[in-house]
Amino acid sequence: MSRRKRKDHILTALIGFSALLSVTILVGIIGYVFYRGIRNVSLDFLVTVQSPVRGAMGIAGNIVNTLYIVILTLAAAVPAGVGSAIYLNEYARPGKLVSMIEFTMETLTGIPSVLFGLFGNVFFGEVLGLGYSMLTGAFTLMLMVLPLIARNTQEALRTVPENYRSGALGMGAAKWYMIRTILIPSAMPGILTGIILAVGRIVGESAALLFTAGSGFYLPKPGMGLAKKVFESGGTMTIEMYLQMAKGNYDVAFAIASVLLILVLFMNFLTRSVVARFGAEGRKERK
Amino acid sequence: MTGNHMTGNQKKRYFTEKTAEWMFTACGLIAVFAVASITIYMLMNGIPALFETGLTELLFGTLWQPTAAEPSFGILFVILTSIIGTAAAVLLGAPLGILTAVFIEETASGTLSALVKPAVELLAGIPSVIYGLLGIYLLNPVMYKLELKIFADSPDHQFTGGANLISAVIVLAIMILPTVISVSASAIHAVPASQRAASLALGATPVQTIFKVTLPSAKSGIAAAVVLGTGRAMGEAMAITLVSGSSVNFPLPFHSVRFLTTAIVAEMGYASGLHRQVLFTIGLVLFVFIMFINLTLTKVLKGREEKE
């Protein structure tokens, strides 16, 4: 009996110790980044462009590049992801095709970003001739975040009660009209969650962008330059951070890391509020 | 209701409906085409180098001198580094993650678990370069000190400045924690309360119940967590590129090493010709490993569904 008790105590201690260690490491990471980096984040840092000549350090160009990549990626990935979820949930009949789509979605989730980078470099960059550009980067990331948006949309579609569909169809609505006016609005929280998670993923991505969107820290030229930018290369904040730490500029790297962490925390907060606001209702309906 | 007026023209309605159906089907097929093209392009770009340098020389060669006058492209050490590094990271991270999941689901009080769980989820979203930055800034100096102590009397040792295999393994182990914790926590959560109650009623202690009843019943979910973590560790690039050092060596703890992923990241920027093709071959090897891990995962998950 006492041997068993001792064993119980040891195991309980081990569980507690593991949890403490994990949490300490994980919270320590966030804490340390802010401790080391936040003091170098200033308004100047955010709104000026880095200039080796003037010795100025700022990430305005990289922030704009990040925005370009986020917007272009979402412009491609949201229709594609929502569309494929609607296909899977509303049109497809169970069979070979559906299991193939589901299998390939799973596969896309598991492919490492460095391989997406290689593929994007060859396919969008060389075969389609887009070179190192915002578009090459965005198309590459589109494949990466597609499963994220599709899965969240699909989960939301599943919670839309069946009688919404049969009700609309029974009143004579065409299927497309029903999807547009009933299903998509009802699935909006799920779609939003997918989009926010995708933005977080895009902002943090580096390996898939290094050989597709490339690097660079200049702002696009005003006017037509804004449109031309999509065919030009440029580094996001994450890429710039990597290049700075490779050069040993740790002050700058930690400052960018703090900005990225603030964004990640904000995205996390957004996801939580979307889920808190709509998630409960969805779950209630499912029961 | 206005829909009836707008789509009064039967032909137009039929046309819209068909177009919509085609559009959605096309969206659904994007993933299939994407995976098919990724597979084809990886094969197309990765295979030529195998013929040019010879399969055995490339895969089992140990000399990596891509830019020498007489270049040599042996990637055996790179492959071994990825296998050993990933295995070590999983051996380190998985038990820690699983026990943390047990804490969250079984032993922690409600409020404590409500604090720890979201914190873990938050960490899954931290960009991998940040893990890398902390690795070179905090971990490498510690490793360098250790290295100086351990190898003080061995003149043969090539000093790495702390950028070595152990540093990379530690970073990877930490990076897979959020995945392992959240997937195993949901597996443990899914174990029916009646099983625990039965075990407790039979006189087992809470700890015995955890290890003899709850964990065995959550086995396949936990296996899925470990496989997912393995895939994540195997595929991680940016976090360990700088942390693991910059030369290709046999994967020993204090050696500077290159993983499959970091070899690509480190050299893709300037590689050309055959060197570039070999980097795609490295990508292909990684792709094969990852597909194998994915298939294992599908099998594990399928097994679970059938059991339920």
Side-chain angles (χ1 to χ4, degrees):
Chain A
M1 196 64 177
S2 79
R3 233 182 85 201
R4 190 170 99 187
K5 250 190 190 155
R6 204 178 322 140
K7 205 172 152 199
D8 273 17
H9 281 307
I10 293 171
L11 288 171
T12 315
L14 205 61
I15 293 170
F17 171 76
S18 301
L20 189 68
L21 186 62
S22 311
V23 173
T24 313
I25 292 172
L26 298 173
V27 175
I29 288 172
I30 296 183
Y32 191 81
V33 168
F34 282 134
Y35 159 76
R36 180 67 181 74
I38 205 84
R39 58 183 126 125
N40 291 318
V41 180
S42 61
L43 192 61
D44 255 11
F45 182 72
L46 297 175
V47 300
T48 53
V49 175
Q50 98 173 249
S51 155
V53 185
R54 284 187 289 120
M57 184 58 221
I59 55 167
N62 305 109
I63 294 178
V64 172
N65 289 338
T66 310
L67 276 176
Y68 265 97
I69 295 279
V70 167
I71 291 169
L72 290 172
T73 308
L74 289 182
V78 173
V82 173
S84 57
I86 290 176
Y87 173 73
L88 284 173
N89 221 52
E90 309 299 326
Y91 285 94
R93 287 189 193 88
K96 273 229 167 85
L97 187 60
V98 170
S99 43
M100 195 148 87
I101 293 174
E102 267 160 9
F103 173 73
T104 48
M105 283 280 184
E106 288 290 316
T107 309
L108 281 182
T109 317
I111 292 179
S113 50
V114 62
L115 292 183
F116 278 107
L118 283 183
F119 172 72
N121 179 283
V122 173
F123 186 73
F124 298 117
E126 286 173 10
V127 178
L128 299 188
L130 292 167
Y132 281 76
S133 67
M134 296 285 120
L135 276 180
T136 307
F139 283 137
T140 310
L141 291 196
M142 179 265 225
L143 301 179
M144 261 178 82
V145 299
L146 179 73
L148 210 55
I149 292 171
R151 200 179 325 117
N152 279 287
T153 308
Q154 228 186 325
E155 264 166 36
L157 284 174
R158 283 199 196 116
T159 64
V160 178
E162 201 46 49
N163 52 13
Y164 281 26
R165 293 182 183 84
S166 45
L169 293 176
M171 278 163 71
K175 193 162 184 178
W176 163 232
Y177 186 76
M178 181 272 286
I179 290 171
R180 203 156 39 100
T181 56
I182 305 216
L183 284 188
I184 294 183
S186 315
M188 211 33 117
I191 298 175
L192 268 181
T193 311
I195 293 175
I196 299 166
L197 289 173
V199 173
R201 187 87 196 267
I202 299 166
V203 167
E205 184 47 50
S206 44
L209 285 172
L210 199 52
F211 311 119
T212 54
S215 55
F217 43 76
Y218 297 110
L219 282 172
K221 294 187 182 60
M224 274 311 282
L226 286 174
K228 271 195 202 138
K229 181 72 196 172
V230 299
F231 298 108
E232 291 163 8
S233 68
T236 60
M237 285 185 277
T238 323
I239 293 291
E240 188 59 33
M241 182 188 150
Y242 175 74
L243 296 174
Q244 292 291 340
M245 73 192 224
K247 281 189 253 172
N249 296 338
Y250 296 124
D251 282 345
V252 179
F254 271 108
I256 302 177
S258 308
V259 177
L260 285 172
L261 268 190
I262 291 171
L263 278 174
V264 169
L265 290 174
F266 178 66
M267 291 296 158
N268 196 273
F269 166 77
L270 271 187
T271 323
R272 256 162 229 290
S273 15
V274 170
V275 172
R277 189 141 167 231
F278 303 98
E281 282 168 43
R283 239 169 275 141
K284 223 179 353 191
E285 275 161 6
R286 204 165 4 171
K287 273 184 191 165
Chain B
M1 280 138 251
T2 48
N4 273 337
H5 290 285
M6 274 161 54
T7 55
N9 187 336
Q10 291 265 310
K11 234 182 191 168
K12 193 181 151 200
R13 178 167 162 164
Y14 178 78
F15 180 73
T16 328
E17 284 299 292
K18 272 288 156 209
T19 317
E21 190 174 344
W22 276 108
M23 295 283 282
F24 289 127
T25 314
C27 287
L29 289 174
I30 292 176
V32 179
F33 281 117
V35 171
S37 359
I38 291 173
T39 313
I40 292 168
Y41 276 92
M42 286 315 299
L43 290 172
M44 256 169 49
N45 290 283
I47 286 178
L50 284 173
F51 286 107
E52 214 151 314
T53 59
L55 193 91
T56 38
E57 266 127 276
L58 186 66
L59 293 181
F60 299 106
T62 54
L63 193 63
W64 177 255
Q65 283 178 338
T67 50
E70 244 177 68
S72 163
F73 300 100
I75 61 169
L76 181 66
F77 286 166
V78 179
I79 299 175
L80 285 180
T81 302
S82 265
I83 295 173
I84 291 176
T86 304
V90 172
L91 281 177
L92 208 63
L96 194 61
I98 295 168
L99 287 179
T100 306
V102 169
F103 178 80
I104 291 173
E105 292 296 332
E106 302 287 316
T107 55
S109 67
T111 28
L112 202 53
S113 119
L115 271 173
V116 175
K117 219 175 169 182
V120 169
E121 276 163 29
L122 177 66
L123 284 147
I126 291 185
S128 50
V129 276
I130 292 185
Y131 287 96
L133 176 61
L134 290 167
I136 41 174
Y137 193 74
L138 296 177
L139 208 53
N140 286 357
V142 175
M143 286 300 155
Y144 187 46
K145 270 185 202 151
L146 267 177
E147 191 184 20
L148 285 176
K149 262 194 195 135
I150 296 172
F151 296 96
D153 308 319
S154 39
D156 298 346
H157 182 74
Q158 270 205 330
F159 283 91
T160 60
N164 57 26
L165 180 65
I166 315 183
S167 301
V169 165
I170 294 175
V171 170
L172 288 177
I174 293 173
M175 287 192 72
I176 63 170
L177 273 181
T179 313
V180 176
I181 296 173
S182 54
V183 179
S184 355
S186 50
I188 294 170
H189 191 78
V191 174
S194 57
Q195 288 198 18
R196 289 186 196 99
S199 160
L200 292 171
L202 285 169
T205 63
V207 175
Q208 281 178 321
T209 307
I210 289 171
F211 286 94
K212 300 256 162 75
V213 177
T214 313
L215 286 182
S217 347
K219 199 172 55 193
S220 59
I222 293 173
V226 175
V227 178
L228 269 174
T230 311
R232 179 118 201 248
M234 182 69 107
E236 183 50 51
M238 301 307 266
I240 51 171
T241 306
L242 300 170
V243 176
S244 64
S246 53
S247 52
V248 175
N249 280 311
F250 186 80
L252 285 178
F254 282 94
H255 274 176
S256 160
V257 290
R258 281 267 166 85
F259 291 71
L260 291 166
T261 49
T262 66
I264 298 170
V265 170
E267 292 173 21
M268 187 65 189
Y270 63 86
S272 61
L274 184 57
H275 183 192
R276 192 179 134 94
Q277 287 184 325
V278 174
L279 294 184
F280 274 94
T281 311
I282 295 180
L284 181 61
V285 175
L286 175 63
F287 185 68
V288 171
F289 277 128
I290 291 292
M291 288 310 260
F292 179 72
I293 293 172
N294 277 353
L295 287 175
T296 315
L297 183 69
T298 321
K299 241 187 190 157
V300 169
L301 291 175
K302 224 181 195 165
R304 181 158 64 159
E305 259 166 41
E306 269 158 23
K307 212 178 73 192
E308 277 163 11

